Amino acid sequence: MSVNINKHIADILQLYEFSMSIGKTLDFDKNCDNFLKLLLARKNLSGCCIISKEEDEYIRSYSYPVGLVDDSMMEHSEFLDDCFKGETIKAGKFVENKIVSSITTGGSWLFFNLKNDKGLILINHKGTPFSEVEINQLSPIIDKFSISLKACESFAKQDSLLRILTAQNKELREFTQAISHDLKSPLRNIVTLIAWTKELGESLQDDVVQNLENIEYNIEKMDNLIKGLHTYSTIDKFEENDKEINVESFLQEVIESLVVPDTVQFHIESNVSQLFMYPTLFQNLFYHLIDNAVNSIDKEKGEVYIKIKEEESYLNCSIKDNGKGIPEKYRERIFQLFESIDSKKECIGIGLPIVKKIVDYYKGDMQLESEVGVGTTFFITLQKE
């Protein structure tokens, strides 16, 4: 009686050991190594093999030892013939929950369906058959192992996709930087040639002067577009440390960097004087929000209200103007690249997409309220960490 109890305890401990060896890694081969090598050692088996169905062929996705489970054994064993040509496979797939055991002149074999068009073959060259008790004990463990393999494959696909996306983003960033660099030189040359031509003065006809001014206008707009594209493509690729920012002086610097009519008045309200932020992001965020507000003003006297309120874990900001307002149909589109409701050369449809990208970087939120003819308010929430 005690012998049976001891055996049951030993079986339970062994199954627990098997179970704990599964899923320790998301690498397919390492996951197989952890479990299958332990299984072979504890059960005194000769080898194992995982086969996968791809189209009309069965390939080995894992085998151990490699020299033992060779191609001739895979092709000519009676067991595999029984599995592949018999009831184990229907309509090109392994039958659900199918377990096949067999004894041949080459030893005994045990096949487990791992689902997802995979199967596990355990090999014992000594010919000792697998008992029904052993099979029943191993079944739930093999099921867990099957789930872990699916997780490994999903992770590998995700990792591969991530690598592809990273490479594509790098290529896009390099392309944008090259474009922004290579286009600036010919643009400067064109501007210089136009300036020389305009120096001819009165000898130029009025329509020629007007055409030259139109060219200058479009060149300036293209230059703004190139700068905006470069900023947008690198906004979350910067390398800098967060720094202590004096909010009021920093905002004044941003305002001074803009072309602001004398008729526009700014009102700044904040409950915090110092913030730890990434200066590049903070500057770009408020530069484009304030620039958007200024460009939207169509009144004789412009008003821009900037509010910054610090909470425990996030920052609340708002930019309000008394401009022309944004019609309902444009309120989603304005956050997309190159979508602008204004034809000014400064309005190239990149400013608000940059703002949205910065807000997303800080895992924040952005909302707007607007009334045509009255003005617009952007509400920004940024997580501080």
Side-chain angles (χ1 to χ4, degrees), residues 171-183:
E171 289 177 3
L172 180 60
R173 188 164 65 254
E174 290 174 349
F175 172 77
T176 305
Q177 290 174 343
I179 289 294
S180 64
H181 178 270
D182 294 344
L183 284 181

Side-chain angles (χ1 to χ4, degrees), residues 158-377:
Q158 183 182 13
D159 186 59
S160 175
L161 179 61
L162 183 61
R163 291 175 186 275
I164 293 171
L165 289 175
T166 301
Q168 290 177 342
N169 285 337
K170 182 181 178 183
E171 289 177 3
L172 180 60
R173 188 164 65 254
E174 290 174 349
F175 172 77
T176 305
Q177 290 174 343
I179 289 294
S180 64
H181 178 270
D182 294 344
L183 284 181
K184 283 182 179 179
S185 179
L187 284 178
R188 290 194 196 98
N189 292 336
I190 294 172
V191 170
T192 302
L193 290 172
I194 291 173
W196 288 346
T197 305
K198 290 174 72 174
E199 287 176 1
L200 296 175
E202 296 179 357
S203 63
L204 295 176
Q205 297 179 4
D206 291 342
D207 57 345
V208 174
V209 174
Q210 182 62 47
N211 288 337
L212 290 174
E213 290 177 352
N214 289 338
I215 293 172
E216 284 181 316
Y217 172 88
N218 284 284
I219 287 174
E220 188 173 352
K221 192 163 187 174
M222 184 181 293
D223 186 55
N224 290 334
L225 180 62
I226 291 169
K227 292 176 182 175
L229 277 173
H230 182 264
T231 300
Y232 183 83
S233 66
T234 58
I235 203 68
D236 53 357
K237 310 295 189 301
F238 62 92
E239 294 182 359
E240 66 175 0
N241 297 320
D242 54 344
K243 295 179 180 178
E244 190 175 45
I245 295 172
N246 183 287
V247 174
E248 189 169 349
S249 62
F250 199 88
L251 288 176
Q252 289 296 341
E253 289 177 11
V254 171
I255 292 170
E256 289 171 5
S257 69
L258 292 164
V259 179
V260 181
D262 295 334
T263 55
V264 177
Q265 186 174 0
F266 290 92
H267 309 272
I268 299 175
E269 181 182 333
S270 175
N271 72 340
V272 57
S273 58
Q274 305 289 123
L275 280 176
F276 277 93
M277 301 282 287
Y278 293 113
T280 301
L281 294 187
F282 194 74
Q283 181 184 33
N284 273 290
L285 177 70
F286 282 94
Y287 177 92
H288 291 290
L289 283 171
I290 297 171
D291 186 50
N292 181 79
V294 170
N295 286 324
S296 71
I297 293 174
D298 56 351
K299 314 293 191 303
E300 289 186 6
K301 182 180 179 181
E303 304 281 354
V304 177
Y305 297 86
I306 304 170
K307 292 184 180 181
I308 299 176
K309 184 179 180 182
E310 185 181 26
E311 305 290 349
E312 184 175 353
S313 59
Y314 56 90
L315 201 66
N316 277 333
C317 311
S318 67
I319 307 290
K320 179 182 178 181
D321 63 65
N322 65 333
K324 64 185 70 174
I326 303 172
E328 183 74 31
K329 63 180 180 180
Y330 293 113
R331 292 180 190 176
E332 293 293 334
R333 290 170 52 187
I334 57 173
F335 297 110
Q336 300 174 12
L337 278 172
F338 312 127
E339 292 286 348
S340 176
I341 60 176
D342 203 313
S343 60
K344 294 179 182 178
K345 62 176 178 289
E346 299 88 355
C347 304
I348 54 176
I350 288 183
L352 290 178
I354 288 174
V355 170
K356 186 177 185 304
K357 195 170 184 181
I358 295 172
V359 173
D360 290 342
Y361 179 84
Y362 277 104
K363 298 180 176 63
D365 182 57
M366 180 164 56
Q367 304 290 334
L368 73 86
E369 293 179 0
S370 186
E371 185 177 348
V372 175
V374 177
T376 301
T377 304

